Amino acid sequence: MKVLLAIDSSLASHVVDSAAARPWPSGTVFCVMSVVDMRHWEGLPALIEDAKHDAQSAVKRATDKLTQSGHKVFSEIPLGNPKGLIPEYAKKWGADLIMVGSHGQSAVTRFFLGSVAQAVLRTAGCSVEIVRQNPASQSSSHRTKILLATDGSECSAKAVYSLANRPWPAGSEIRILSVVQLLTPQIPSAAAPLCSPYPTSLLEEIWKEARVRAEEAVADARKTLSAAGLKICDCKATPVGEPREFILDEAKAWGADLIVLGSHGRQGLERLIMGSVAETVSIYAHCSVEVVRG
């Protein structure tokens, strides 16, 4: 497995600590990358040198810690825009996973300025984990609580496969959640205010099919994960409502350390109109979030 740790001087420690504490498949190789963001220092050579020195110091601490933990590791310190360089390098290297820290900016700041983590999540071709600081989970003996969100789709199946084929700390628990998202009826037109846009029988049939798909998604995930020897924790597996809200609320109430879900890969106008469950959960979750791609 190839894991790219994207760090800067302010976010290095908890990303590296999380990677160092977690068990990984045999032969896993880490690349520690710290991009010197030239947008901040262009035309200021003295400050560029200071930024390079900070990046080198952060990378050295990270590589030393991973090496001491017995991992294979090398480093890269490119100059440029981290929002583009990180996904580009991950693609070139063939990374399986990018781990990047979150600054925890406010919603307004995220909207107007964006963040490196959000940009990487949107554009990377591989899986991305947004790492949030949790002192307990950075201990190798910590029993990780993982919330798996699935809708039974192909991208969710990849998330299940990823979980099943990686080692986790002894005693770790997985809670499986599949939210039944109901069809929202359109507002009746003024010309026919008493006419329902959909027959009641059709809405009931759609609801039943959605419930069955959700239950099958949970059953399939449980079967795969149990066969891999992972502990499955019981929960209200198929609630009805808005998936983003249920995933975030369940993760917080249960005290999850990590949320894992697949990405449908929506782009452009479709993302703007429909939003992305994976992106919304990644931005607003209290814990780390891994978005799995093929």
Side-chain angles (χ1 to χ4, degrees):
M1 186 172 185
K2 294 182 175 181
V3 183
L4 175 60
L5 301 186
I7 66 173
D8 62 24
S9 57
S10 63
L11 289 173
S13 61
H14 69 272
V15 176
V16 176
D17 289 346
S18 179
R22 190 181 300 179
W24 296 94
S26 176
T28 294
V29 179
F30 291 90
C31 172
V32 179
M33 172 179 280
S34 183
V35 180
V36 179
D37 195 339
M38 297 301 291
R39 298 171 302 166
H40 295 163
W41 316 118
E42 190 172 357
L44 301 170
L47 296 182
I48 292 175
E49 290 305 313
D50 288 344
K52 289 181 180 178
H53 182 268
D54 289 344
Q56 291 166 353
S57 298
V59 164
K60 186 179 186 306
R61 289 193 297 269
T63 55
D64 287 348
K65 186 175 185 66
L66 290 167
T67 301
Q68 290 169 5
S69 299
H71 298 297
K72 298 178 182 178
V73 57
F74 67 98
S75 62
E76 294 285 342
I77 308 177
L79 308 180
N81 184 346
K83 294 182 180 182
L85 283 177
I86 295 170
E88 288 172 8
Y89 184 84
K91 182 178 180 180
K92 180 180 178 181
W93 182 43
D96 300 295
L97 173 66
I98 301 172
M99 297 180 71
V100 57
S102 171
H103 280 285
Q105 296 168 330
S106 68
V108 173
T109 303
R110 278 192 300 264
F111 180 80
F112 286 106
L113 298 179
S115 72
V116 172
Q118 190 173 357
V120 170
L121 178 64
R122 286 182 172 182
T123 59
C126 63
S127 300
V128 177
E129 180 176 336
I130 308 298
V131 183
R132 291 184 170 86
Q133 192 163 12
N134 181 353
S137 65
Q138 290 165 10
S139 166
S140 59
S141 61
H142 177 68
R143 299 180 179 182
T144 307
K145 299 173 76 172
I146 305 168
L147 178 65
L148 169 68
T150 176
D151 59 8
S153 63
E154 182 180 351
C155 63
S156 289
K158 292 175 182 177
V160 174
Y161 180 85
S162 177
L163 267 180
N165 285 274
R166 280 160 55 186
W168 299 97
S172 293
E173 297 177 307
I174 298 177
R175 180 168 285 188
I176 307 169
L177 180 67
S178 186
V179 182
V180 180
Q181 185 173 16
L182 294 181
L183 175 67
T184 303
Q186 298 175 0
I187 299 174
S189 67
L194 298 180
C195 296
S196 172
Y198 302 107
T200 301
S201 59
L202 175 59
L203 293 176
E204 290 178 350
E205 185 66 24
I206 291 173
W207 182 86
K208 289 179 181 178
E209 290 180 359
R211 171 71 76 180
V212 169
R213 286 197 301 271
E215 291 173 348
E216 289 177 346
V218 171
D220 290 345
R222 179 184 291 272
K223 181 179 179 180
T224 300
L225 296 172
S226 297
L230 296 171
K231 180 181 179 181
I232 309 301
C233 179
D234 290 331
C235 68
K236 184 181 179 183
T238 57
V240 179
E242 167 53 51
R244 286 167 280 206
E245 294 180 4
F246 269 99
I247 294 169
L248 291 169
D249 290 346
E250 181 68 20
K252 188 172 183 179
W254 185 45
D257 301 298
L258 176 67
I259 301 171
V260 175
L261 68 170
S263 170
H264 284 277
R266 294 191 177 110
Q267 301 293 331
L269 184 61
E270 185 181 11
R271 176 190 291 277
L272 180 63
I273 294 174
M274 301 185 67
S276 164
V277 172
E279 184 173 332
T280 301
V281 170
S282 298
I283 292 171
Y284 294 103
H286 79 288
C287 61
S288 298
V289 179
E290 182 174 336
V291 179
V292 178
R293 294 189 174 95

